[in-house]
Each structure stands twice: as C-alpha cells, then as structure tokens.
Amino acid sequence: MAVAFLAGALAALAMAPFNAFPVLAVSFPVAIWLLDGIVFPLENPAPGFWRSIGAAARLGWCYGFGYFLAGLWWIGNAFLVDADQFAWLLPFAVLLLPAGLAFFHAAGFALARLLWSQGNARILAFAVAMAACEWLRGHILTGFPWNLFGYALAEELHLAQSLSLIGAYGLTLVALVLFSTPAALVRRDGWRWPVLSVAILVAMAAFGVWRLGQHPTGFVDGVQLRIMQPDLPQDAKFNPALRNEVLTRYLALSRQPAADGSDGLAKTTHLIWPESAFPFLVAQDPEALKVLGDLVAPKAVLLTGAGRAEENLDDGGWRFFNSLHVIDATGTIIGNYDKVHLVPFGEYLPYQSVLESLGFEQLTKQRGGFSTGPGLRTLDIPNAPPAGILICYEAIFPGEVIDPTNRPGWLLNVTNDAWFGVTPGPYQHFAEVRARAIEEGLPLVRAGNNGVSAVIDPVGRIVASLPLGTSGVLDSRLPTTLPPPVFATAGTGIVTALFLIALIGAGLGCLNRRRQPR
C-alpha cells in the first residue's frame, strides 16, 4: 500500500508547475505491477474474485490518496486567509478532499481488475478503467476534473494540439495508455509497446507542428485590451471597511502608463478587472458607478467581476450571485453574467441551511451562499466579438464552457486565485484554462487578482502574460478566433469511440485469459 501511495504522489509531479510528464512512465507501470501481484501472485494462491476486487480497490485508494494529496495540498492555504475562523479546518481540508477523491481511483483499480489478464491487454484494462473514472470525477456531484492525467501532455504546446481533436478526457485516456506501456517490458516481446508509444507521441508532436503552422496568431481590428492584476491581499477583498482603499488602488493601477510611456488607458477599448473586484455591491453604489464610468473612454467599457444581489420574490429575501458586469462610460451596467458552476464549501455549502444552523459557513462567508446563474451564455460586448464568460472555477470543465447554441468569438476568464497564494494551485488552474482555448478554438483572455493574467490565442500560444504574485497591467490586442475544431463539433463521439476501442481490446484480453487452461 505504501508503494501505491508513493507511485500516486510521484504522478502529481506531471502536473503544473513541475510538468515532469515522464514520471508517469514510472508511476503507471508500478500501479499495473501492483495489480498483477493481486491477480497473479507469484507465491501464494490468488485470492478469491471478490476479495481481489476489494484488494484492488484498496490499492487504488492508496494510489489516489498519494496523487491528490501531493497535487492538492495547496488548497489548505485558503483556510489561512481568515485563520481565526477557519484555520482549524485546514488539516481536514488537506486530508479529507484527497481521501474522498481517492475513491474514484479505487473504483478505477477495481474496474481494471474486472478486465485483468496476464497479457499486455491489461495495459488497456488499466487505462480505460482509470480514464472512465476520471470522467466520472469530472461529472459526479457537480464534478471536479482538476489535474486530469491528460494535462500532463498539455503543457508542451505541440502535444497540446491533440486537445483540438479529443479534448482533455480523450487526452487522459491516451496518456494512460502511452505511459503504461513500460509495464510490458517484463515480457519477452514487450519492447514493441513502448516503441509504439514513442511513435504515437512523435505523431502527436508532428500534428502539433502542422497545426501551429497553419494558424498564426491574428488580431481583431479595433480592440485594445487592458487587463488589471492588482495582487490585493485576499483578506482585503471581502472587507467593506476597505472600500475606498480598494477602489483607489484599482483606479490608480488602471491609469498606469503603457510600457512605451504613453497613456495606455486612453487607447484601451476594453478594460478588464478580475473576479470579485469590490468588497461591496457596486451595482447598488451610484457613486462608485459614476467613478467607474469616468474611468473609461466614451466608447470603451469596463468588464469586471463583482458580487450582485437581487430580491427573491418567493420569500422577500435576497439572492447573491458571483457575477461579471459590463459598465459603459455613463456608469451604466449594460450587461451581466452570473456564475453557473459554484465552488462547494467556497461559495456554497451542501445542505446549506442544515450546516449553517450548526455554525458552519463557506469561505466567502456569504450567509445563505451564492445562487447559481441561469446557465452558460454568450454575452454581447460593445465594439468586440461576443464573449463566453467563465468565472474562476468554471473554466476547468472540458466541453462545458460555452453556450452551444450561440458560439462566442472569445472566452473571458476572471478569477481570484489569491486564496491559494504562490503555490502550485494557480499554475494548475492556468494550465486548464489554456486547454479550453485549444479545445474550443477560441482566444482566451484571463484577468486574475494575483495572476496568472494572460491573453492566449486559439491554439494555446501565450500572447502576453503577467506572472503570479505580481501587480501590474497587461496591454494586448484580442486574437482572432478559428473555426470550431474537431473536438468542439464531434468530440463526444470521437472520445466515446476511443474508449470503446480500448475497452474492446481489454475485454478480448480478458476473454482470452479465461479460455486458457488452468
């Protein structure tokens, strides 16, 4: 069990910011060999079928616990922002979330055991079972598809182009197959599998070279972006007493000269501020709206994250939303988007009323929690293509980031990763956001309180960026979009076909094992 834990922890190094994806070629084979030891032990008799299923699940849980503990420990940083109230929860958050997510890997190992064979087909059994459970992890209980194994291949831009064909879930299956093939080396003819894997990686890189060459970065005429990264301390962002200080800092930073010394704000058509920019409800503050209107040029707009409240007609109370406002030069809110995918325990509590009655509250300390917006939608933006809005966490869901009935011309992600400081978390978040641009063939603009703020073209090139943990402004043009790539139009069918092929291969190996004389 300790070996499984260490193998899982090793796999976490494949994720940002380390991006050491070759470690998977050690981690996955070790997992396969451990499963071999359960199903076909060398010395003791093999355990009964159901006992071996349980043993495989325990092995998978230890592997998953190592993977998620090593990859998600940084979440505990959020509980230190308001340490007086939440620090006592830190060990529970750091341990319980990985422990819970590890059950998906436990299910993956158990499912792999059902398809296990002594031949190399067991590589496919392991890969398809784990990939299926990674898909489930992205969907069950609102989903948490963070650090999917496929992201190990997405940091290298040429390999990342495969996201345009099969998305993050398909790339997860591919990564599991390719990096599991060293497990075949224990057999006499096993060298063929790793060699084939290297050939596939080379083919993927060649496709990436071709695709990047086909799509140089172009820019939308007449659109000049200014992205503001204030790097405000997290405890200041929800303190109404700091209203004036926060607003003054935003205004001063937005007026900062451009890199060439010119008046950057005067040339800006779209000023972008990050998620939850204000420690007050700006929509209910006419004075603040006037100040914001005076900030932007007559034909420019401000796009900013903000809390929003509306009266609940059912009970006369209020509903609160994590939103994005579009504010014009008159100080009028001319567009609005409400976040759809809320963060459990961060923006709402499961069984909210029950847990609140016991004295619990989510990290944002909004009584009653935030309400869910009506759905993903494309927002009209003056003097720019319509935009798909993604507030923070919403950008991590492959294939679920745009309104399929109204394709946008770009994606705008406003976020606040200051909860997690300068840790691996914000780098992992940025890697997943970048993957969405490639999957959808859309440029992506990102404004983060403490970074990473960036402009990304539709094939994943970083046009401009500000590093994590710094304060500044980022001036850039808006890249043009591409026609919808294969994943955006037929991705579900292609990924399903890949899963079925792997499943059939694993199933044939399992049937062959059962037909062999004992």
Side-chain angles (χ1 to χ4, degrees):
M1 296 299 175
V3 174
F5 173 87
L6 292 174
L10 178 66
L13 292 176
M15 300 296 127
F18 310 105
N19 303 309
F21 70 83
V23 301
L24 296 181
V26 177
S27 177
F28 293 164
V30 167
I32 289 172
W33 291 329
L34 290 172
L35 279 167
D36 280 340
I38 289 174
V39 183
F40 304 111
L42 295 177
E43 297 179 1
N44 300 320
F49 178 75
W50 292 111
R51 288 184 62 189
S52 69
I53 293 288
R58 289 191 294 273
L59 200 67
W61 186 91
C62 291
Y63 183 93
F65 186 57
Y67 179 68
F68 292 115
L69 183 63
L72 299 178
W73 61 266
W74 47 266
I75 286 177
N77 199 81
F79 295 85
L80 299 177
V81 171
D82 194 351
D84 291 345
Q85 187 167 359
F86 293 112
W88 68 275
L89 287 169
L90 188 151
F92 297 98
V94 170
L95 295 175
L96 289 181
L97 179 62
L101 292 173
F103 282 103
F104 286 101
H105 286 188
F109 275 53
L111 179 58
R113 164 63 187 94
L114 288 172
L115 299 170
W116 212 248
S117 63
Q118 285 183 299
N120 290 329
R122 74 198 197 287
I123 292 171
L124 297 178
F126 177 77
V128 73
M130 289 292 286
C133 289
E134 287 286 84
W135 183 90
L136 288 174
R137 177 162 69 88
H139 291 81
I140 289 178
L141 298 177
T142 76
F144 187 64
W146 196 280
N147 281 358
L148 298 171
F149 289 125
Y151 291 126
L153 292 174
E155 177 61 24
E156 206 291 315
L157 188 58
H158 299 92
L159 295 177
Q161 298 310 304
S162 295
L163 289 165
S164 68
L165 300 175
I166 56 177
Y169 291 118
L171 199 59
T172 292
L173 175 61
V174 169
L176 280 158
V177 172
L178 297 185
F179 293 115
S180 294
T181 55
L185 292 174
V186 296
R187 298 177 63 87
R188 182 176 301 176
D189 59 348
W191 59 269
R192 298 175 183 174
W193 283 67
V195 168
L196 180 60
S197 293
V198 171
I200 292 172
L201 283 172
V202 170
M204 290 170 62
F207 168 73
V209 170
W210 173 83
R211 188 167 190 265
L212 290 170
Q214 291 293 306
H215 302 297
T217 305
F219 295 96
V220 177
D221 291 335
V223 177
Q224 182 66 37
L225 309 173
R226 169 158 277 211
I227 302 164
M228 211 256 297
Q229 182 173 300
D231 195 28
L232 282 171
Q234 184 58 35
D235 55 3
K237 289 182 64 64
F238 292 96
N239 187 349
L242 298 178
R243 172 194 184 279
N244 293 336
E245 289 87 343
V246 169
L247 189 55
T248 298
R249 176 164 177 75
Y250 273 70
L251 296 173
L253 195 57
S254 297
R255 294 189 176 106
Q256 182 174 299
D260 61 3
S262 64
D263 185 351
L265 189 59
K267 297 182 290 186
T268 298
T269 60
H270 297 81
L271 178 62
I272 303 172
W273 290 2
E275 178 190 16
S276 304
F278 312 98
F280 58 94
L281 296 174
V282 68
Q284 299 180 8
D285 192 324
E287 180 183 352
L289 286 173
K290 182 180 184 306
V291 170
L292 298 178
D294 292 340
L295 176 68
V296 297
K299 293 185 179 181
V301 291
L302 167 66
L303 296 91
T304 180
R308 189 179 75 83
E310 67 178 28
E311 190 171 4
N312 189 344
L313 299 178
D314 293 334
D315 60 12
W318 290 85
R319 300 171 66 204
F320 295 89
F321 299 88
N322 187 352
S323 302
L324 178 127
H325 295 325
V326 183
I327 302 174
D328 68 10
T330 69
T332 302
I333 298 175
I334 60 173
N336 190 75
Y337 168 81
D338 297 322
K339 187 175 182 180
V340 177
H341 280 287
L342 300 178
V343 181
F345 301 101
E347 294 170 314
Y348 76 97
L349 294 175
Y351 307 104
Q352 182 88 32
S353 59
V354 174
L355 291 181
E356 282 188 340
S357 68
L358 296 174
F360 291 93
E361 60 182 347
Q362 62 275 0
L363 291 173
T364 52
K365 297 192 287 187
Q366 174 59 58
R367 188 71 180 173
F370 284 92
S371 296
T372 302
L376 293 170
R377 65 189 182 91
T378 301
L379 192 64
D380 289 329
I381 307 293
N383 303 313
I389 310 300
L390 302 169
I391 298 179
C392 191
Y393 180 73
E394 292 185 304
I396 73 169
F397 295 90
E400 300 178 51
V401 294
I402 66 170
D403 176 358
T405 65
N406 186 12
R407 178 176 165 84
W410 56 300
L411 297 172
L412 173 59
N413 175 226
V414 293
T415 188
N416 176 29
D417 287 344
W419 286 104
F420 310 111
V422 183
T423 66
Y427 292 106
Q428 294 170 6
H429 195 188
F430 180 71
E432 300 187 17
V433 168
R434 185 176 176 228
R436 301 293 85 79
I438 302 171
E439 288 173 342
E440 301 295 340
L442 294 171
L444 189 144
V445 177
R446 190 172 198 251
N449 172 36
N450 69 327
V452 177
S453 298
V455 176
I456 302 168
D457 81 358
V459 293
R461 297 186 190 94
I462 299 173
V463 175
S465 66
L466 287 172
L468 182 66
T470 62
S471 173
V473 293
L474 186 64
D475 294 313
S476 175
R477 298 173 68 188
L478 175 66
T480 51
T481 187
L482 294 178
V486 172
F487 175 75
T489 56
T492 300
I494 293 174
V495 174
T496 301
L498 286 176
F499 271 76
L500 287 175
I501 291 169
L503 181 61
I504 290 170
L508 290 175
C510 184
L511 289 173
N512 185 56
R513 181 200 77 194
R514 291 177 179 174
R515 288 170 180 167
Q516 292 176 352
R518 298 183 180 274

